[in-house]
Amino acid sequence: PDGILPIIAQLGMKPEDTVVIGDRFSTDILGGNRAGCTTVGVETGIHTRADLDKFPPDHHPTHIFSTLDEMISQHLS
């Protein structure tokens, strides 16, 4: 989780303007949430919606999609 903020800063971005996309609630999503980013969980890898009840709220993504294609199609239509 500590590694996300330096990367965001190096890119000249702010956490509130950054979206972290990942398939692991315990690393990708937790790190993004702790950094103050919007987080998107995709069910193409390690964790799925069914796993949400196994994790505390700080591990929950802001949004969750089955695939990246679903995310893109919902936000471009």
Side-chain angles (χ1 to χ4, degrees), residues 7-20:
I7 294 167
I8 292 169
Q10 184 178 13
L11 294 171
M13 300 191 62
K14 298 176 187 172
E16 60 270 19
D17 297 328
T18 304
V19 176
V20 175

Side-chain angles (χ1 to χ4, degrees), residues 30-59:
L30 177 62
N33 286 343
R34 286 185 176 170
C37 303
T38 295
T39 54
V40 174
V42 288
E43 298 181 282
T44 56
I46 304 301
H47 296 122
T48 67
R49 292 172 212 266
D51 297 317
L52 286 172
D53 63 348
K54 299 174 189 172
F55 291 94
D58 64 341
H59 289 65

Side-chain angles (χ1 to χ4, degrees), residues 2 20 27 31 43 64:
D2 296 334
V20 175
T27 56
E43 298 181 282
I64 190 164

